[in-house]
Amino acid sequence: MKDYNLKLIKWLNDSYDKKGSLNPCLWVLSPSVFIRLIIRILLILTKRIINIFTKPTTVFNEGNYNVYEKNILRTSLINILLYRRPNPFESYIGSNQFKPKKIHQNLLLSLKEIQGIKLEFTEYQYPLVSIIIPVYNKVEYTFNCLRALKNNISSKISFEIIVINDNSSDATKEILEGVQGLKCINNEENIGFLFSSKKGAEVARGEYICFLNNDTEVQTNWLESLVDIFHRYPDAGIVGSMLIYPDNRLQEAGGIIWNDATGMNYGRFMNYVDPRFNFVRPVDYCSGASILIKKRDYETLQGFDEVFAPAYYEDTDLCFSVRNKLGKKVFYQPESKLIHHEGITSGTSTSSGAKRFQIINAETFKQKWQTELKKHLKDQPNKGAMRLCGKKTILIIDLYIPVFDKESGSQRLFQLIKIFKQLDYHLIFAPDNEIPEEPYTKELQQMGVEVLYRTYDYSQITVMKQIEERLPYIDIAWICRPNIFEKYIPLFKKSACTIIYDTIDLHYIRLKREAELFPSRSIDWQSMKSLEQKCGEASTLTIAITDVDKQTLKEMGLQHVEIIPNIHVANSDAYLPFEERNGILFIGGYNHTPNVDAALWLCNEIMPIVWSKYPDLNVTLLGSHPPEEVKKLAGPNVTVTGYIQDVSPYFKRNRIFVAPLTYGAGMKGKIGQSLEFSLPVVSTSVGVEGMNLKHDWNCLMANDTASFAEAIIQLYFDNKCWERISTNSHEGIFPFSPEYVKSTLDKIFSELPIKSPN
């Protein structure tokens, strides 16, 4: 039956053409498609058409009200055409139910087919990882496992494969002898899984030992992502993989052990793309079908406890020993995926054969760890899975995933998430646009953040609904921006969680300043002010970015206000001296209109004055999403780069940084970023607002065209002025260091009325 299922999957895969379109003949597999077709089209299209002409709460740049209005239609169409369903046509007709997952598996080969395939592995003198595979018969699965290893481990990682043939009676010995680069140990008698594993570990040469079942098929990045956990988490002791059934259902996303020593494979039979199963987290144990441990830790613990021979619970016991004897953590790594053909060697019945030891060893395990087991739960899967994730749970809601290398607001939030993790909080991040933008989503998930989203394979449950399902476990809801707060606050009316409103900046001040500068834009800042006041009144605590914003909020009648500013880390690299630098630098995300206006003012009015005296000075405009009006500024002396992932070389080589901002609110991340690199700044009073900078000490300030041009010339050519401001730059960002903000947050959270655990 298993072979038939694999062949059916292959047939379905082959039924897609090169462009990924489904062969229409397969629709006959689901006759109900035709019955539902008309109703499905009418209901879905009606809903989507309504969405186009109603004002959505999801926007690309809620920070500017004009851009907000312009993107209503764009946002709705993008959600329809790209993000809700990558192929809307297939969704409407129902054929997407046949679309194959992106999990690759090989068809099992016959013994005759295997004998005709040459398999060879590179032999490394100093392997980083020793992969240990105990086998007993089932040579077709063993060979399949080896093929997957050959095809899916990067050449960037060195490894050795040690197969322990536990006196198999089939052609295992003969087949494995034909695989080059394989270290094969043939047992003269059957000694069982546990002793075979220990035998392989004794000859392992790698820094890490990986135990792998022979009935598995590893996927791309399987091994690399396991090793990466040890680089990311110094307290990692063991890391395990996501196990997936051949039919693409989830088998295990980390294991839970209840207080009676029985276990549960978290997520069993569910959708493996579900957000709950796709972030790194500490767990009770991971299945020995695929686990990685440092060899020295394994040897310190003397390996698997022989009391669990021949098999079962030895992997769980090793995980408990790592946590309770070594003081390290057991991590589940969702990026390490493999197919597991469960029960191939030992069967699935616990009443006979080797599988019966699962029941016997459960009692042994219970007696050994009875004190530790008292801390565990019983029959609460979600709480059991999150038991070790943190002392409290914080939900953060914002417009989108923090694009931390594109804008200062996202960088601030990204740094806050790091601090929350350091303070031992479990983080859930909910992007209002529901899009798991990469590589940012993956980075958060690898940090241990549970990111909510919708994808092609997980589109039925909205982010709003996902939040609602998690409400019983949320202690703090940290909601960013007024429009997002207004949308989501009704969810928490019956919840006991603490509500924090993060202003990001005071939107109405920015809009008011813009309205005063550009009366023709007809900006309704009064409504925004009213909304921001209501958000503050509905929250337990309001977060301001600067002391100026805090004072403004206090004047609006809000009592509970704290300051959490942008976060900046001083760059410790040796920087180029004055004489070796040249060029004038500006950076900004151009979805934010104050940055567009700043670039236009700089190049159209300020720099012409400078160029009249020094025509060879060059300006670089960094930043993502430059509109056409900014692109047109490019010329002999102006470079418009667009998005660049690593901008540090620009800050290290240019001579001065300019930020001619005429309106805005809150802290300006670009100023702090420049100070991080000790790059002297010329800006306006609006630009340095909230930074506590002093003119002619750690910056130059100018508020009109002529004065700004004069300040540029002074800072660019006056060596002494440049050295003074550069030297004092780090002083300006000390109050915004991660350590300073961390202590502030810790104090704030300790004083908040946080609900007791359920």
Side-chain angles (χ1 to χ4, degrees), residues 86-123:
N87 190 333
F89 179 71
E90 286 190 359
S91 172
Y92 294 153
I93 65 174
S95 65
N96 61 299
Q97 61 186 294
F98 301 122
K99 197 168 184 72
K101 307 284 185 178
K102 295 180 181 179
I103 294 295
H104 175 77
Q105 56 185 304
N106 298 311
L107 289 179
L108 285 176
L109 303 176
S110 66
L111 183 59
K112 183 177 180 180
E113 290 172 320
I114 289 174
Q115 291 171 333
I117 297 177
K118 183 179 180 180
L119 204 57
E120 181 178 352
F121 290 93
T122 302
E123 296 185 61

Side-chain angles (χ1 to χ4, degrees), residues 291-408:
I291 55 175
L292 187 73
I293 183 173
K294 287 185 177 180
K295 185 179 181 182
R296 66 171 178 266
D297 286 343
Y298 178 84
E299 292 174 339
T300 299
L301 296 171
Q302 299 181 330
F304 293 123
D305 191 338
E306 296 177 6
V307 73
F308 296 102
Y312 294 104
Y313 271 88
E314 76 288 335
D315 49 359
T316 312
D317 175 74
L318 184 65
C319 291
F320 268 58
S321 294
V322 162
R323 182 164 49 252
N324 296 291
K325 293 182 179 180
L326 299 183
K328 296 186 176 183
K329 293 181 180 180
V330 179
F331 283 100
Y332 158 71
Q333 169 59 292
E335 282 298 287
S336 176
K337 294 180 173 63
L338 71 160
I339 295 170
H340 184 210
H341 301 268
E342 187 180 38
I344 292 302
T345 301
S346 302
T348 56
S349 173
T350 57
S351 60
S352 62
K355 189 77 170 176
R356 73 184 190 278
F357 285 97
Q358 184 171 333
I359 303 299
I360 297 171
N361 287 345
E363 186 59 33
T364 303
F365 179 86
K366 183 178 181 180
Q367 293 301 318
K368 180 176 180 178
W369 296 103
Q370 54 184 316
T371 300
E372 176 63 26
L373 287 171
K374 291 178 182 178
K375 305 174 186 177
H376 289 235
L377 305 172
K378 179 61 179 176
D379 295 333
Q380 300 179 68
N382 289 327
K383 290 194 70 175
M386 304 300 153
R387 184 177 68 88
L388 301 172
C389 287
K391 58 188 179 184
K392 300 290 181 183
T393 296
I394 300 178
L395 166 70
I396 300 177
I397 309 176
D398 199 6
L399 286 168
Y400 39 75
I401 298 294
V403 287
F404 47 80
D405 57 351
K406 293 182 179 179
E407 57 180 44
S408 64

